[in-house]
Amino acid sequence: MEADIEILRLEIIKHGKIELRSDEILTFRPDIATFKDYDLQVFKDLLEVFLDVTKGTPRPYLCDNTYVTGIVDKEALTFMNDHFDRFATKAAMITKSPITRVIVNGYNSVFKPKVKFKLFTSEEKAVKWLLK
């Protein structure tokens, strides 16, 4: 299945790589050499590029946070919750971090997000769920 996927749009920014795939999935892959954590400025930077790449049409969203610790403050989470539905119809995150799992589960319970957000340990499972 992955072999048939084409990258329709690619943007390289200081935080990592953003792609719009031919299966309509918007992806963000942090630069593992420089990216450590999300904060309000990172979310603002990503939102700007996501809206440009999607041309304002929300898509299924996949972020690969395999190498990100996941510490995010309340201000950044509030911003994300307020703007997530502008670029995403639902969201899948790849992570193996117990800290990230706690933060995302807390986010889901506190914010009651407009966009369904689910955690996965593999990209294959995440993509399958996003395309359902």
Side-chain angles (χ1 to χ4, degrees):
M1 185 170 109
E2 282 294 314
D4 297 336
I5 301 301
E6 292 180 45
I7 303 305
L8 302 178
R9 179 113 187 248
L10 170 66
E11 294 291 330
I12 305 291
I13 62 172
K14 67 182 176 181
H15 307 299
K17 180 168 58 171
I18 297 167
E19 299 172 337
L20 181 59
R21 300 163 26 139
S22 58
D23 58 4
E24 298 295 314
I25 294 176
L26 174 68
T27 67
F28 172 59
R29 298 179 196 283
D31 181 338
I32 62 171
T34 60
F35 190 90
K36 299 301 175 220
D37 286 311
Y38 292 92
D39 61 25
L40 182 59
Q41 189 58 55
V42 170
F43 282 139
K44 287 180 177 181
D45 294 346
L46 290 173
L47 177 64
E48 182 180 330
V49 179
F50 289 164
L51 293 175
D52 180 52
V53 167
T54 64
K55 300 192 183 333
T57 301
R59 314 278 184 180
Y61 172 65
L62 172 69
C63 57
D64 184 349
N65 285 5
T66 303
Y67 301 102
V68 178
T69 61
I71 309 287
V72 181
D73 67 25
K74 187 172 181 183
E75 182 181 28
L77 287 174
T78 300
F79 179 86
M80 184 177 84
N81 191 57
D82 290 344
H83 298 282
F84 220 157
D85 63 336
R86 294 178 63 194
F87 66 87
T89 55
K90 61 182 178 177
M93 177 187 291
I94 302 166
T95 185
K96 292 180 173 82
S97 165
I99 294 170
T100 300
R101 290 190 173 285
V102 169
I103 290 170
V104 170
N105 290 333
Y107 166 79
N108 282 334
S109 65
V110 170
F111 286 98
K112 308 293 186 238
K114 303 173 218 173
V115 174
K116 189 170 183 176
F117 198 107
K118 206 167 171 187
L119 298 172
F120 295 88
T121 56
S122 78
E123 184 166 341
E124 183 181 324
K125 290 176 184 174
V127 167
K128 187 174 182 178
W129 178 76
L130 286 170
L131 294 176
K132 276 202 300 191

